[in-house]
Structures are given as structure tokens and as C-alpha cells.
């Protein structure tokens, strides 16, 4: 039996393989340099162009670019009319920003449980969370698999709720043949470097609703409206702040990078799917772990590749498995701790453990493996080798799975 690196053995690799990483080429760099030499560093033509190309790519009428995925969520929560006292249903397993945007608007996040096989928000749990104060549902396309939008839309229609998609993980995915970005009333994206395309920091909201677009464009610019009719009447100097907005503007440098990146998205999605298929195949005979389930009505965008440990077949817990893989040089991660178990939610806001039992049980057995377009074949092989090595070392059921 090979000795684990965590116990003093030789690691599978000597450098840590990250779980995600951006791909930047010379063309990306040249496009950004071109903007640096131009007249517009912010609020210029690259912003509009990025918005237009992005909207078309995801089959939506409009897109509004902002400074981060978190700003996109806040802007969407504002556009959905979330105010003080409103409840918004969010999945327990997601990045904290999905729930935080409700708090920014003075609302209350209500956590729905997730499906144990997909970790997507469970429509039955959503229905059970609805009260007279519920205004909206934010679904998350966890790991890159679109949420069950048909069921969620039906629930929202029955109760008069706005459906928002936090699609930060799923650019390039589809559900029932429709692209992610056109599946909910408001759809948000992040362009953080670990996501499908990057602008350094950046985000986008897509919608078919022109009135919401008008309000969101004002919101990202302090709530200042660019009403041309009014300007003509009162003089060119006039501008009016009508709502409390923020500075959530994105620069032209970032949007030029985003546009350049968008051209390579189809290749990158293809690459992510191939890596996932290699992992699926390599782990299919293991009884120590199982990948998440993919529904057959979706095309997965694989922001993450998540495995679930079968703890009953292992002599270790998730944290030991995690440490062992890290020691082998594999940069695994955990996505995510249920949001309400963060100290802020538990200690300051009073959310209690036990709220979403499926999410909590899943959290104790999940690990995200490295997946990004720039991964080399050796990186994939190292990851497979390390996972099998650690599973074999902690296995309760077989002498060797290596
Ligand atoms: C990345 C991410 C965000 C936040 O995006 P930022 O661009 O980092 O602000 C929000 N929700 C989910 C699910 C994410 O993965």
C-alpha cells in the first residue's frame, strides 16, 4: 500500500494544483492595452459592447455589467423590489453573497434545503418556506448544473414571487435546451478569476425587462438617472439622483478583457466537460465516493467537480480526506458550508444549526476537485491518482483500489 504524503510518504506532486485558475492569452492582453491607450477607461464603448455580446450569447434581451458578482446580486435584489421586512428564499449551500444581497436590501434570507444528489435547491423545500412576506426566490446553479427552473418558475407563478438565478457557476450551461442567462426574470453572473470567464473582478445581470434595466443602470451609478428628455428640458448639466444607488460601475479595461474571454467560452466549456467525463470514468468503480448527479434535461457547465464521500465506507472524515489530498499536492476545496452556519449568520442573526438537514449532511462529505480549462493531462492524472490513493488508504471495504 503506498504511504500517504500526510503520513510522511512521497506526495503525488510537489507543487499544489489549484482547484480553479484563469486562462489569459496574448490577445486578452493586447485588448486591454488598446483600451488603456483610448479615451475611455470607464463607462465607455467597451461596456456597451460587452453587454450586447453577452446578452446575445445567453439568449437574453438585455445585460447590465457591474463591478462584481456580488454587486450583480445586490442590483438584482434591488430590481426585484426587495425591501425591509421582505423574505427571500435561497439555498442553504451556496457562496454567502447569494444570501448577503438580501441583507443589503434589509430583507431576510430564508434557507431552503437542497437535493442530496445534486445539491441544487429543492423545490419542495422552497414551497414549505413560503410565507405572506416572501417576495422572491434566488436559485443557484450549483457547480454549474442549472437549477430545476421549470418547477421553481411554477411555484413562483403560483405565489406571485420573482425568480432570480444566481448563475455564477453556470455560464455556458443549458436547461431544457435554453441557455443559462435566459432562465429566470433576473440572472446574475460573476467574472472572478475562478469562474468561466474573467474580468479580474466583475459581474453581469441579464433580463428581458427594459424597465428593470433602466432601474439597474441607475442603481450601479448612485441611483442617478440618465433621462435625456429631462436633460433637454433643464439643460445639459442636469442629473437627478432618485434612488439610493451605489458605485457598482465596471471599467472599460475589464469589459474589453471580458469580451476577449467570451470568444473562447465554447472551447473552455468543452474542456471542462471532458475533464469531468475523465473523472466520472476514473471514479466509477469506487465505493468510497460518488460524484454529484447530473440531470438529463441539462447541459452542465462544470464550474466545480464535486465528489461526495461515502463516509460509511471510509475510516476518515471529510477533513482528513481533504488534508490527505492537500498533502498529495491536490488543491481540493469545500463548496460550501451552509450559509447560516457562518458565525455572522449564527451568532449575529440567530440562525440555528439543524435548519436544513440534507445540506448539513452533504456539507460533511463534499470535496471539490481541480477543474479548469488550462489543466494538463498530467494534472488530471495526478488528481485521479491522488484521489484513488487516499480512498484506498482510508477504505474500510477493500484491500486496495489503486
Ligand atoms: C462567485 C460567486 C458569487 C460572487 O461573485 P463575486 O464576483 O466574487 O462577487 C456569488 N454567488 C456565487 C454562487 C458565486 O460562486
Amino acid at each position: 500500500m503506498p504511504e500517504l504524503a500526510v503520513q510522511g510518504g512521497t506526495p503525488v506532486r510537489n507543487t499544489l494544483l489549484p482547484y480553479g485558475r484563469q486562462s489569459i492569452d496574448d490577445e486578452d492582453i493586447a485588448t486591454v492595452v488598446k483600451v488603456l491607450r483610448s479615451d475611455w477607461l470607464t463607462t465607455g464603448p467597451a461596456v456597451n459592447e460587452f453587454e450586447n455580446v453577452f446578452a446575445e450569447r445567453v439568449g437574453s434581451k438585455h445585460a447590465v455589467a457591474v463591478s462584481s458578482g456580488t454587486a450583480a446580486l445586490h442590483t438584482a435584489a434591488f430590481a426585484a423590489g426587495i425591501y425591509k421586512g421582505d423574505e427571500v428564499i435561497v439555498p442553504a449551500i451556496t457562496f454567502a453573497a447569494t444570501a448577503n444581497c438580501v441583507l443589503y436590501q434589509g430583507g431576510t434570507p430564508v434557507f431552503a434545503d437542497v437535493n442530496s444528489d445534486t445539491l441544487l435547491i429543492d423545490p419542495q423545500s422552497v414551497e414549505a418556506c413560503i410565507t405572506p412576506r416572501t417576495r422572491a426566490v434566488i436559485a443557484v446553479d450549483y457547480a454549474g448544473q442549472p437549477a430545476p427552473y421549470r418547477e421553481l418558475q411554477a411555484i413562483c407563478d403560483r405565489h406571485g414571487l420573482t425568480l432570480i438565478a444566481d448563475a455564477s457557476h453556470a455560464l455556458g450551461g443549458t436547461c431544457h435546451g435554453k441557455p443559462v442567462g435566459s432562465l429566470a426574470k433576473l440572472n446574475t453572473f460573476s467574472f472572478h478569476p475562478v469562474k468561466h470567464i474573467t474580468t479580474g473582478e466583475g459581474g453581469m445581470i441579464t433580463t428581458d425587462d427594459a424597465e428593470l434595466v433602466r432601474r439597474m443602470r441607475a442603481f450601479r451609478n448612485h441611483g442617478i438617472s440618465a433621462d435625456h428628455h429631462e436633460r433637454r428640458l433643464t439643460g445639459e448639466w442636469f442629473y437627478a439622483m432618485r434612488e439610493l444607488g451605489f458605485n457598482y460601475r465596471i471599467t472599460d479595461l475589464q469589459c474589453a478583457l471580458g469580451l476577449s474571454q467570451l470568444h473562447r467560452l465554447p472551447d473552455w466549456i468543452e474542456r471542462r466537460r471532458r475533464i469531468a467525463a475523465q473523472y466520472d470514468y476514473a471514479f466509477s468503480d469506487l465505493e468510497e465516493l460518488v460524484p454529484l448527479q447530473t440531470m438529463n434535461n441539462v447541459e452542465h457547465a462544470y464550474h466545480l467537480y464535486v465528489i461526495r464521500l461515502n463516509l460509511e465506507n471510509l475510516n476518515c472524515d471529510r477533513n482528513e480526506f481533504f488534508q490527505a489530498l492537500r498533502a498529495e499536492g491536490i488543491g481540493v476545496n469545500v463548496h460550501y458550508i451552509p450559509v447560516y452556519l457562518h458565525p455572522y449568520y449564527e451568532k449575529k442573526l440567530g440562525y440555528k444549526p439543524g435548519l436544513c438537514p440534507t445540506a448539513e449532511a452533504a456539507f460533511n462529505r463534499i470535496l471539490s476537485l481541480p477543474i479548469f480549462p488550462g489543466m494538463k493531462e498530467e494534472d488530471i492524472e495526478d488528481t485521479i491518482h491522488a484521489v484513488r490513493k487516499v480512498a484506498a488508504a482510508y477504505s474500510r471495504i477493500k484491500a486496495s483500489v489503486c
Side-chain angles (χ1 to χ4, degrees), residues 232-246:
R232 245 195 333 273
L233 289 176
T234 51
E236 286 297 320
W237 56 268
F238 184 84
Y239 64 87
M241 188 200 126
R242 300 193 184 281
E243 303 200 74
L244 184 61
F246 291 76

Side-chain angles (χ1 to χ4, degrees), residues 68-71 73 94-95 97-98 140 166 168-169 189-192 195 201-203 303 336:
S68 71
T70 303
L73 280 164
T94 182
F95 184 56
T98 312
V140 175
D166 178 350
S168 301
H169 292 188
F189 295 88
S190 162
F191 307 130
H192 182 274
K195 305 289 164 65
E201 299 280 359
H303 165 55
Y336 301 89

